[in-house]
């Protein structure tokens, strides 16, 4: 197993712990030093919890990391995420100057369960003058198991018709 797969497996395990809570989420993100592999931090999606449509795992991780480092640049870091970043999240990654974004499940996978904007992370990057390597899907099936956990499926069913996914 390569470095990206190991880091993704660790993130999936972290995110899977939320399946045992009242508010499970399949979306987890981590910020990792690109060279050393040291994990700076991890975050989960908190849209429903925080009543904030921008509280996606990736955006939360980037916000927390830049605050922790007291720097708006995350050059030298990689973002790992259990699902392909939406355009908002990928744009935030670009603005933060991340070296790489590595994702697991795809936007199409997520769309089987919740609403999505159908613009790939790679397309957002290609249409920008900012550079960031986008890698994925990595451990796609493993990441997709977060979406199909019985507790998560129960929550998705409750979300149908509710404007908070």
């Amino acid at each position: 197993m390569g470095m990206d797969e190991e880091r993704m497996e660790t993130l999936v395990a972290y995110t899977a712990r939320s399946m045992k809570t009242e508010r499970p989420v399949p979306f987890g993100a981590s910020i990792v030093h690109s060279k050393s592999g040291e994990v700076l931090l991890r975050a989960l999606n908190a849209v429903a919890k925080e009543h904030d449509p921008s509280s996606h795992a990736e955006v939360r991780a980037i916000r927390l990391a830049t605050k922790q480092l007291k720097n708006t640049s995350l050059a030298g870091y990689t973002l790992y995420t259990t699902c392909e970043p939406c355009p908002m999240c990928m744009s935030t990654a670009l603005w933060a100057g991340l070296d790489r974004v590595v994702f697991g499940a795809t936007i199409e996978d997520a769309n089987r369960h919740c609403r999505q904007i159908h613009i790939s992370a790679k397309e957002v990057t290609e249409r920008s003058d900012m550079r960031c390597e986008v890698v994925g899907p990595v451990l796609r099936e493993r990441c997709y198991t977060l979406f199909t956990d019985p507790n998560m499926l129960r929550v998705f069913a409750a979300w149908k018709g509710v404007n908070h996914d």
Side-chain angles (χ1 to χ4, degrees), residues 152-162 164:
M152 192 67 242
L153 290 173
R154 177 188 55 76
V155 171
F156 282 138
W159 283 3
K160 296 291 183 203
V162 177
H164 70 87

Side-chain angles (χ1 to χ4, degrees), residues 5-147:
E5 290 81 6
E6 287 177 23
R7 292 171 184 161
M8 187 66 75
E9 184 59 46
T10 300
L11 179 59
V12 169
Y14 168 81
T15 306
R17 290 198 304 256
S18 82
M19 297 303 149
K20 295 173 176 50
T21 70
E22 274 189 48
R23 291 196 175 173
V25 292
F27 305 102
S30 60
I31 305 282
V32 177
H33 192 274
S34 296
K35 289 204 177 19
S36 73
E38 183 179 339
V39 176
L40 182 63
L41 56 81
R42 294 184 185 99
L44 297 174
N45 177 297
V47 169
K49 181 181 175 185
E50 295 178 359
H51 307 289
D52 179 352
S54 71
S55 282
H56 290 199
E58 301 92 335
V59 171
R60 290 185 74 235
I62 291 166
R63 286 176 181 160
L64 292 167
T66 55
K67 284 180 184 172
Q68 184 173 321
L69 296 172
K70 295 180 173 45
N71 192 337
T72 58
S73 173
L74 292 176
Y77 288 88
T78 297
L79 171 70
Y80 288 86
T81 178
T82 59
C83 188
E84 182 175 3
C86 74
M88 174 184 69
C89 293
M90 192 62 222
S91 296
T92 304
L94 289 169
W95 285 112
L98 285 155
D99 296 346
R100 304 171 67 228
V101 170
V102 180
F103 69 88
T106 65
I107 288 171
E108 291 76 22
D109 295 332
N111 192 230
R112 294 180 197 157
H113 305 280
C114 55
R115 298 174 304 153
Q116 293 295 309
I117 297 171
H118 299 275
I119 302 171
S120 73
K122 288 179 182 172
E123 182 178 347
V124 173
T125 302
E126 288 165 2
R127 296 180 69 171
S128 163
D129 61 2
M130 295 170 265
R131 295 296 108 215
C132 179
E133 181 184 3
V134 178
V135 178
V138 171
L139 297 186
R140 179 180 183 179
E141 291 305 316
R142 179 74 176 101
C143 290
Y144 187 65
T145 64
L146 297 165
F147 290 83

